[in-house]
Amino acid sequence: MPVNEQHSSTVILSQQLLLSVAEELKLPLTQIARQLELEGLTRAEGRSLQATAQTALQLIDHYILGVRLALEPQQFPLEAVSVSSVLYDTGQSLYNYAKNYDIDLELNIAGRFRPVMANQHGLHAALVSIGAALIEALPALPAQHQLKLQLATHRSRYGIVAGVYADTKQLSMSALRQGRRLQTHSRQPFLALNHSNGAGIFVADNILHAMDLHLVASRHHRLYGLGTVLQSNEQLQLV
Amino acid sequence: MSSRLLLIEPDRVLAATYKRALTADREYMVMKANGAQAAVRLADIKTPDLVILELQLIAHSGIEFLYEFRSYSEWQNIPVIVHSMVPFAEFRHSWELMTHELGVVSYLYKPDTSLAHLVEAVREYVPVKT
């Protein structure tokens, strides 16, 4: 594809994603507006509002990061990153939002993993975006038991997988493919997974793509999830 | 006895907020459903006096729910208020079908609808029992 065409298709995709982000922001902003109308807000409700606003701001920030990563990759070099510490930070970022939705957030980083090549900020942003999208979606899926989301990492034959996992088969490669296919054509591309437009998943997709990584569906023990495959930093083994 | 509302709202936080607003004066009892299937199950257990419906649901859309709901004779005259994140312009072409054949009595755009407005709209179709 000629450079000009490539540039304009990137701009169009970025505009379409911005449209999805704007659409997605209607949910947290409506939550904030309506909850503020309730009389006599409790302290817990105040905290819940703060978490909602924080997540909305993060979505905008992560969208911007994805665009900047694509346009100015030299500003965001790949570095040796500890997956465990990124997952821990992701858990911290999502904790209050998960609480809003009565979802238990678990961290599963058992095992020793070598540092991986990624941009730490970008990887954290991608995992938070996926996590926030799944937190909103999970309670609307037909399930009666206590909802759990697990931030986990494991080795696969392709590399070290880091992702966000839940007990739902809807988190599959085919759902991801369908979502990507419908991204610009439907207001609800993940029909079987998400009642909104799942902008957080596309934002994560963009961020990972800009770091030469891929958003993939994977399994972790009995759970299904979305995440990415990272390559360990072999250079560090010499140190 | 309070009138029963069936609130079909996929977002857990919004569902709790709407329920709190609609039950504040103890005029209504609210049954919450996160999707179409759960809504049909709940309606089967206790027939609602009114349905508040989001069109964007997981797996089955609000329109699919309406077709299913109206296929049962005992639920044909229950008023349905569409209260949705989907702007009217996006389903304008289906509006006549929704009002004439599927029994939708009103549409409220969720981001623009205050809690007070929602309660008022519900009162219009389900007067408070005294």
Side-chain angles (χ1 to χ4, degrees), chain A residues 23 26-27 30-31 34-35 37-41 45 48 100-103 136-137 139-142 144 147 187-188 191-197, chain B residues 9-14 16-18 20-21 34-35 37 41 55-61 85-87 90 109-117:
Chain A
E23 187 66 41
K26 288 194 320 198
L27 176 65
T30 304
Q31 286 177 359
R34 297 295 87 83
Q35 281 188 284
E37 273 185 68
L38 288 173
E39 281 173 23
L41 276 185
E45 284 164 339
S48 154
N100 278 8
Y101 282 82
D102 285 333
I103 292 176
E136 286 165 14
L141 289 169
Q144 302 303 319
L147 296 168
R187 66 162 31 249
Q188 202 184 347
L191 183 63
L193 176 66
N194 201 320
H195 57 85
S196 64
N197 66 15
Chain B
E9 170 54 63
D11 184 75
R12 188 177 270 191
V13 175
L14 280 180
T17 307
Y18 292 135
R20 200 175 141 192
N34 62 4
Q37 283 177 333
R41 268 200 306 273
L55 295 176
Q56 256 183 224
L57 304 169
I58 287 183
H60 301 283
S61 73
M85 287 286 189
V86 184
E90 291 186 28
Y109 181 49
K110 217 185 264 176
D112 283 350
T113 306
S114 66
L115 295 177
H117 187 173

Side-chain angles (χ1 to χ4, degrees), chain A residues 1 20 35 39 77 80 84 100-101 108 111-112 114 117 122 130 137-138 158 161 174 183 189 192 204 226 232 235:
Chain A
M1 195 190 286
S20 296
Q35 281 188 284
E39 281 173 23
S84 308
N100 278 8
Y101 282 82
N108 185 343
R112 293 168 72 94
R114 291 188 193 120
M117 287 304 288
I130 298 169
L138 278 185
Y158 305 107
V161 183
S174 67
Q183 182 185 1
L226 297 176
S232 59
Q235 286 176 342

Side-chain angles (χ1 to χ4, degrees), chain B residues 64-101:
Chain B
E64 284 175 287
F65 163 80
L66 280 173
Y67 275 109
E68 166 87 13
F69 192 64
R70 294 304 187 207
S71 69
Y72 297 91
S73 56
E74 65 270 35
W75 296 340
Q76 278 180 1
N77 297 317
I78 297 170
V80 174
I81 294 177
V82 169
H83 180 229
S84 179
M85 287 286 189
V86 184
F88 184 70
E90 291 186 28
F91 61 92
R92 187 192 305 271
H93 56 280
S94 313
W95 183 242
E96 206 174 298
L97 169 93
M98 287 165 76
T99 51
H100 292 128
E101 291 185 32

